[in-house]
C-alpha cells in the first residue's frame, strides 16, 4: 500500500458560537473585531489525519500531513492550530484582506496543490459554516477525476490502497469503498478533535509554513456569483408563554397547529 | 419479473402524450430549459425530490425530469404526471442504482450536454450534495447551494451563516447548477400531467471508481422527518436514551409526528444521528415544531426556525428557544410531556 500523503484544507471562519450580524451596507456580515477560528468540520479533518498516523491505521503509513488554507494574513493562525494538532507543515495561499474565493475556485486551487504536493488523500470538511455551500470536496474530486466519499463518519484503510468510508446519508449510513487517490469529506461524528497543548503550540511555531499567492500557482480568483445583497432573515417573534398543558393545547388549536 | 419491468418500460416509452398548447407556445423564456434531478430508491421516487420539479417550474421555460437507477419506470411514470413537466428522461442501468457520484456525475453531464439545458436543479439532500457539485465542476459552473427562493433565472436567495443571513446572488454561468431547500419549494404533486418518457444517454464507459458496500437505514413507519407536517424534537433535557424513547415516542404517536433531536441529544446517544435537526443535520419547516428539553442554540434554530408554529417545553424560562417559540410552556418535561400526551390521546 502506498504511504499516505494527506492534504488537509482548512478555512478560517467566524467562530461557530458567534451570532453573525449583517453589515449596514448589506454587502456581507460584520467581520471586524469578531472572533474567528478554524471551521469545525476542518478540525475533524486535521484530527482524523493525525489519528490515522497515531493509530497506524493505514498499512502503508502516513508520510505527510500538509494543512493548507487560502485566506488573509490571519489565516496563518488556523494553519498554526492545525500544526499544533499534529499536521507536519502548512501552505498558506495569501489573499488580500476581505477577499473571498468561491468553492469552484478553491477546488481549482486545491487541484493545483494536490499535484504540487503529490497528495493521494484529501480530507476536507463537509461544509464551511460561513458560506454553507458544501461543494468544495465533490468539486475537487470531479476536477481530479478521483473517487469521493462525502460526510464520512468512519474511515478505514485496507490492502491494495483500499479506503472504506461510512457516510452519513438521509435516514442512516451507507458504506462505500474506493482506492487511493481519493477525496473524503468529514462529518461531525467522525471524531472529537483534540485541543492543542501548549508544548505542541510552541512546537508548531517551528514547523514549516510556506507562503504563496494565487499568482505563483498560475491562478486567478475567478468569481462567477455576484452577491447583490445580504440581509437579515425576517425576525421571528416569540408568542409568549402559557401556564399549563391545557393552555398549550388550546393555543396550538388557535394557531391551527393541531 | 425482469421481463415485466422491461415490457412496462417499453410501453411507457411508446406512450404518446398530448402536450398542452401552453408548453409549446413560445414565451419570453422559451430559451430556458431546466433539468430536475430526481432521487429514487428501489424504483420508488423520493417524494422530497419532487420539490426540485417545483423549483424548476418556477424558473419558467421548459422542464424535464431525470431519474436513473436499476428499474425506474414507475418512478418516471410518477414524475411524468406532474403538471408542467414536458419530458422525463430515464437511464435504466444497475450501475446508477446507488447514486455513486463518480459514474452518476459523468452520465448526468452527458445528459445535460445532450439536452442543452440552461439550468439543472436538485434537492439539497445527501444525494444532491454528493453529485451536483461534482457535475458543476465538470461543467465549470459555480453551483448555488440550498436555494430558498428564485428571483429570476439567474438570481437566487440562499441562507448563509446557519441561516443568520440571507444572500441574494446573481450567477454569470452559462449552465446554472442549483440545489434547493426542500422545505422552501413544496413537493410537486403528480396529477393529470402526461410527460413523455424518453431514454437518456448512458456512458460508454460505465464503470465506477467506488463501490457500494452496504447501508444501515433507520426503519420507521413515521412520516419522513424532512417532509413531516409535525415534528416533535427532544434535547439534552431528556437526560437519557430511555427517557427520550419513553417520553418522545408516545407524544409523537399522539400527534402523528416525526421525531427529531438536537445535536446535544444525538451526541449524548439519546437519539440516532439521522434525527438531528440543525445546521449540521436536517432542516425542517413543518406546520408544528414541538421542542422538548431543547435550549435553542443558533445551530439548532438554523434547522427549524422556518416552521409555521413553534412550541416549546423547557424548565428554563430564559432559554433562547422561548424567543422564537409561538407558544412556550415553562415546566418540568418529565411531568408536562406525559400529561400532554394523555390529553392529546383523549381529545
Amino acid at each position: 500500500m502506498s504511504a499516505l500523503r494527506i492534504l488537509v484544507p482548512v478555512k478560517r471562519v467566524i467562530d461557530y458560537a458567534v451570532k453573525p450580524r449583517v453589515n449596514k451596507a448589506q454587502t456581507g456580515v460584520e467581520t471586524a473585531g469578531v472572533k474567528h477560528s478554524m471551521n469545525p468540520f476542518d478540525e475533524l479533518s486535521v484530527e482524523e489525519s493525525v489519528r490515522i498516523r497515531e493509530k497506524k491505521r493505514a498499512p502503508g503509513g502516513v508520510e505527510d500531513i500538509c494543512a493548507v488554507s487560502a485566506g488573509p494574513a490571519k489565516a496563518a493562525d488556523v494553519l498554526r492550530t492545525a500544526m499544533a494538532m499534529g499536521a507536519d507543515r502548512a501552505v498558506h495561499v495569501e489573499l488580500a484582506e476581505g477577499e473571498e474565493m468561491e468553492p469552484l475556485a478553491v477546488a481549482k486551487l486545491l487541484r493545483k496543490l494536490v499535484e504540487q504536493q503529490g497528495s493521494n488523500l484529501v480530507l476536507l470538511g463537509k461544509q464551511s459554516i460561513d458560506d454553507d455551500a458544501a461543494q468544495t470536496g465533490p468539486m475537487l474530486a470531479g476536477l481530479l477525476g478521483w473517487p469521493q466519499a462525502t460526510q464520512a463518519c468512519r474511515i478505514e484503510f485496507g490492502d491494495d490502497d483500499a479506503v472504506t468510508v461510512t457516510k452519513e446519508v438521509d435516514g442512516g449510513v451507507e458504506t462505500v469503498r474506493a482506492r487511493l487517490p481519493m477525496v473524503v469529506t468529514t462529518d461531525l461524528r467522525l471524531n472529537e478533535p483534540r485541543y492543542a497543548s501548549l508544548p505542541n503550540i510552541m512546537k508548531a511555531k517551528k514547523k514549516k509554513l510556506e507562503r504563496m499567492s494565487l499568482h505563483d500557482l498560475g491562478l486567478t480568483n475567478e468569481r462567477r456569483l455576484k452577491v447583490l445583497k445580504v440581509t437579515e432573515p425576517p425576525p421571528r417573534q416569540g408568542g409568549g408563554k402559557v401556564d399549563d398543558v391545557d393552555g398549550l393545547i388550546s393555543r396550538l388549536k388557535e394557531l391551527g397547529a393541531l | 419479473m425482469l421481463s415485466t419491468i422491461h415490457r412496462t418500460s417499453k410501453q411507457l416509452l411508446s406512450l404518446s402524450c398530448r402536450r398542452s398548447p401552453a408548453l409549446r407556445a413560445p414565451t419570453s423564456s422559451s430559451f430556458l430549459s431546466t433539468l430536475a434531478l430526481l432521487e429514487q430508491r428501489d424504483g420508488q421516487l423520493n417524494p422530497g425530490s419532487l420539490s426540485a420539479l417545483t423549483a424548476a417550474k418556477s424558473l419558467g421555460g421548459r422542464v424535464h425530469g431525470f431519474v436513473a437507477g436499476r428499474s425506474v419506470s414507475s418512478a418516471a411514470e410518477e414524475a411524468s404526471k406532474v403538471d408542467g413537466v414536458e419530458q422525463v428522461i430515464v437511464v435504466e442501468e444497475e450501475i446508477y442504482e446507488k447514486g455513486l457520484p463518480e459514474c452518476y456525475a459523468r452520465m448526468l453531464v452527458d445528459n445535460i450536454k445532450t439536452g442543452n439545458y440552461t439550468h439543472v436543479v436538485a434537492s439539497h439532500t445527501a444525494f444532491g450534495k454528493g453529485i451536483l457539485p461534482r457535475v458543476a465542476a465538470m461543467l465549470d459552473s459555480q453551483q448555488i447551494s440550498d436555494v430558498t427562493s428564485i428571483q429570476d433565472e439567474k438570481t437566487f436567495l440562499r441562507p448563509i451563516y446557519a441561516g443568520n443571513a440571507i444572500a441574494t446572488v446573481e450567477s454569470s454561468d452559462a449552465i446554472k447548477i442549483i440545489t434547493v431547500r426542500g422545505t422552501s419549494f413544496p413537493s410537486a404533486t403528480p396529477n393529470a400531467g402526461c410527460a413523455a418518457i424518453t431514454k437518456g444517454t448512458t456512458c460508454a464507459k460505465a464503470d465506477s471508481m467506488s463501490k457500494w458496500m452496504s447501508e444501515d437505514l433507520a426503519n420507521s413507519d413515521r412520516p419522513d422527518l424532512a417532509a413531516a407536517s409535525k415534528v416533535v424534537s427532544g434535547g439534552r433535557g431528556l437526560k437519557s436514551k430511555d427517557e427520550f424513547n419513553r417520553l418522545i415516542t408516545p407524544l409523537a404517536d399522539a400527534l402523528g409526528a416525526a421525531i427529531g433531536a438536537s445535536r446535544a441529544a444525538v451526541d449524548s446517544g439519546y437519539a440516532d444521528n439521522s434525527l438531528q435537526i440543525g445546521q449540521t443535520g436536517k432542516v425542517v419547516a413543518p406546520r408544528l415544531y414541538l421542542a422538548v428539553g431543547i435550549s435553542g442554540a443558533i445551530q439548532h434554530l438554523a434547522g427549524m426556525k422556518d416552521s409555521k408554529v413553534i412550541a416549546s417545553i423547557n424548565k428554563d424560562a430564559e432559554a433562547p428557544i422561548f424567543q422564537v417559540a409561538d407558544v412556550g410552556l415553562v415546566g418540568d418535561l418529565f411531568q408536562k410531556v406525559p400529561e400532554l400526551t394523555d390529553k392529546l390521546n383523549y381529545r
Side-chain angles (χ1 to χ4, degrees), chain B residues 116-175:
Chain B
N116 280 318
Y117 297 102
T118 56
H119 292 72
V120 180
V121 184
S123 282
H124 194 64
T125 57
F127 172 81
K129 283 191 265 188
I131 288 174
L132 231 51
R134 194 173 175 111
V135 166
M138 290 166 84
L139 293 167
D140 197 35
S141 176
Q142 173 52 58
Q143 178 181 312
I144 307 127
S145 287
D146 206 17
V147 166
T148 50
S149 173
I150 294 172
Q151 219 156 59
D152 60 43
E153 77 230 35
K154 57 178 195 224
T155 317
F156 309 92
L157 267 62
R158 57 179 303 264
I160 53 175
Y161 291 93
N164 281 297
I166 311 292
T168 306
V169 296
E170 187 185 278
S171 166
S172 58
D173 281 315
I175 305 178

Side-chain angles (χ1 to χ4, degrees), chain A residues 135 177 189 224 236 239, chain B residues 140 142 173 211 276 307 325:
Chain A
Q135 297 172 4
R177 182 173 295 166
R189 248 72 50 174
R224 308 290 184 79
R236 210 181 158 107
Chain B
D140 197 35
Q142 173 52 58
D173 281 315
K211 200 173 157 210
Q276 185 181 320
S307 305

Side-chain angles (χ1 to χ4, degrees), chain B residues 257-314:
Chain B
I259 295 178
S262 70
R263 181 174 169 198
V266 170
D267 282 352
S268 308
Y270 304 173
D272 191 75
N273 295 343
S274 61
L275 303 186
Q276 185 181 320
I277 289 168
Q279 183 187 19
T280 52
K282 287 205 169 59
V283 176
V284 299
R287 202 149 53 82
L288 171 63
Y289 187 86
L290 177 51
V292 177
I294 291 177
S295 64
I298 53 168
Q299 295 85 356
H300 185 75
L301 299 182
M304 46 63 85
K305 68 179 166 45
D306 293 329
S307 305
K308 196 147 179 289
V309 173
I310 297 173
S312 166
I313 302 177
N314 203 302

Side-chain angles (χ1 to χ4, degrees), chain A residues 16 19 104 108 126 130-133 135 146 148 171 173 175 177 189 224 226 228-229 231 236 239 242, chain B residues 102 130 134 140 142 145 158 161-162 166 168 170 173 211 213-214 216 218 276 305 307 325-326 328:
Chain A
Y16 76 96
K19 186 177 161 61
L104 182 63
K108 287 177 180 175
K126 74 163 178 180
D130 50 1
D131 191 44
D132 285 334
Q135 297 172 4
W146 288 7
Q148 69 179 61
V173 294
T175 303
R177 182 173 295 166
R189 248 72 50 174
R224 308 290 184 79
K226 191 165 141 196
L228 301 181
K229 71 176 173 189
T231 54
R236 210 181 158 107
V242 291
Chain B
E102 299 83 7
R134 194 173 175 111
D140 197 35
Q142 173 52 58
S145 287
R158 57 179 303 264
Y161 291 93
I166 311 292
T168 306
E170 187 185 278
D173 281 315
K211 200 173 157 210
M213 306 301 288
S214 63
D216 183 9
Q276 185 181 320
K305 68 179 166 45
S307 305
D326 300 285

Side-chain angles (χ1 to χ4, degrees), chain A residues 74-121:
Chain A
K74 281 185 177 154
D77 298 350
V78 297
L79 289 171
R80 290 284 173 206
T81 307
M83 290 191 285
M85 289 172 73
D88 299 316
R89 58 196 182 94
V91 173
H92 181 189
V93 180
E94 286 185 283
L95 303 179
E97 192 61 44
E99 186 184 359
E100 281 171 32
M101 290 178 85
E102 290 170 359
L104 182 63
V106 175
K108 287 177 180 175
L109 163 64
L110 292 174
R111 172 176 57 179
K112 260 286 197 292
L113 288 169
V114 161
E115 286 159 4
Q116 197 188 67
Q117 307 292 329
S119 319
N120 56 7
L121 177 65

